């Protein structure tokens, strides 16, 4: 876990931090990995609740030129996540995801952590919340929730403080748990939460405006109501 944090820090130093370069998530690689594990989990358990993959600052995305059998692996994604269980609670894990040269996630491997054995995710300030919408309609299969905690104090586009992609059992509200750095200091920051529900590259629901998050709100649940996005 210590090595994962070091790699993540190195990645952040080398990569521009932009809020909306790929549809509400810092990298499409994270979305592709979420799609892979979401499909595999649904195949094994049609009534699963949710899989959550953490983005910045807990993810490392590396360009590679490796072969796995006959497949060329172009990108390796490593990071942290959690599976929400029907009986309540979440099971944290570390993951590695391989993406081929066509941009498809071809392998997802996770290792569940055992808190009772001292296996824990890196310390973080966790912002719990949920997202829903007003329309009376079912979510299409394959949709995912993308949530970002942004600091817009210096740049209106926002610097990503934390983000998460959630693949759920397609029922709302969809719960999330943003893991911000444990040393997060709100002073001097202007924190907001941005969220959307997307199907591939298409956004179906989105917060009309990012929701401000005051320092006193960091320990409170955040309930988001997304608006339906009209056809262009």
């Amino acid at each position: 876990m210590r090595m994962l944090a070091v790699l993540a820090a190195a990645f952040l130093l080398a990569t521009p931090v932009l809020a909306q370069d790929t549809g509400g998530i810092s990298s499409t690689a994270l979305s592709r990995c979420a799609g892979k594990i979401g499909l595999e989990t649904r195949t094994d358990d049609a009534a699963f609740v949710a899989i959550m993959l953490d983005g910045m600052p807990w993810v490392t995305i590396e360009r590679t030129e490796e072969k796995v059998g006959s497949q060329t692996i172009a990108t390796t994604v490593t990071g942290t996540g959690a599976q929400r269980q029907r009986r309540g609670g979440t099971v944290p894990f570390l993951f590695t995801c391989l993406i081929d040269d066509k941009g498809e996630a071809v392998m997802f491997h996770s290792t569940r952590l055992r808190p009772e054995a001292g296996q824990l995710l890196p310390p973080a300030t966790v912002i719990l919340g949920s997202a829903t919408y007003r329309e009376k309609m079912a979510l299409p299969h394959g949709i995912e929730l993308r949530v970002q905690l942004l600091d817009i104090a210096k740049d209106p586009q926002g610097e990503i403080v934390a983000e998460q992609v959630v693949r759920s059992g397609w029922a709302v509200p969809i719960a999330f748990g943003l893991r911000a750095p444990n040393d997060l200091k709100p002073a001097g920051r202007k924190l907001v939460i941005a969220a959307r529900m997307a199907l591939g590259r298409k956004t179906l629901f989105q917060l009309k405006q990012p929701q401000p998050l005051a320092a006193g709100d960091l320990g409170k649940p955040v309930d988001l109501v997304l608006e339906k996005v009209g056809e262009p």
Side-chain angles (χ1 to χ4, degrees):
M1 286 184 288
R2 185 173 299 173
M3 180 59 69
L4 176 63
V6 172
L7 289 173
F11 174 69
L12 286 174
L13 290 174
T15 306
V17 181
L18 300 176
Q20 69 260 20
D21 59 334
T22 51
I25 199 71
S26 61
S27 172
T28 56
L30 189 64
S31 177
R32 290 164 185 165
C33 293
K36 177 68 172 173
I37 184 58
L39 179 61
E40 291 180 353
T41 304
R42 174 159 290 279
T43 300
D44 294 337
D45 180 5
F48 86 102
V49 177
I51 295 288
M52 302 173 288
L53 297 188
D54 301 319
M56 291 184 176
W58 313 106
V59 68
T60 301
I61 301 174
E62 298 177 309
R63 305 302 175 188
T64 59
E65 293 182 3
E66 300 179 358
K67 285 277 190 179
V68 176
S70 60
Q71 293 177 317
T72 300
I73 303 304
T75 306
T76 300
V77 183
T78 55
T80 61
Q83 180 171 356
R84 189 175 298 277
Q85 299 178 312
R86 284 193 293 271
R87 63 177 180 271
T90 58
V91 178
F93 58 75
L94 304 179
F95 75 86
T96 298
C97 174
L98 303 182
I99 299 176
D100 67 13
D101 54 353
K102 298 179 181 61
E104 298 294 329
V106 295
M107 191 278 286
F108 189 100
H109 175 73
S110 62
T111 302
R112 288 192 174 191
L113 302 180
R114 296 171 55 216
E116 70 277 7
Q119 299 175 349
L120 301 171
L121 294 177
T125 297
V126 181
I127 300 169
L128 298 175
S130 65
T132 188
Y133 51 85
R134 295 186 177 89
E135 283 74 15
K136 301 296 184 182
M137 59 175 288
L139 286 174
H141 291 184
I143 201 168
E144 65 188 24
L145 173 66
R146 302 171 182 174
V147 187
Q148 292 181 316
L149 176 65
L150 306 173
D151 180 4
I152 61 173
K154 298 179 180 179
D155 184 347
Q157 289 190 356
E159 174 188 352
I160 299 173
V161 179
E163 63 181 347
Q164 191 171 76
V165 172
V166 183
R167 285 276 177 149
S168 74
W170 305 321
V172 289
I174 299 176
F176 62 85
L178 283 169
R179 302 184 65 252
N182 202 38
D183 59 354
L184 176 65
K185 294 180 175 60
R189 295 178 178 269
K190 189 175 181 180
L191 299 176
V192 299
I193 289 183
R196 68 179 68 192
M197 294 181 190
L199 185 63
R201 297 181 180 180
K202 182 178 181 181
T203 297
L204 302 185
F205 298 92
Q206 186 172 2
L207 275 180
K208 190 172 184 179
Q209 296 291 337
Q211 182 163 313
L213 191 69
D217 296 332
L218 289 179
K220 302 176 183 177
V222 179
D223 296 321
L224 307 176
V225 180
L226 280 56
E227 304 287 342
K228 188 176 181 181
V229 177
E231 295 291 339

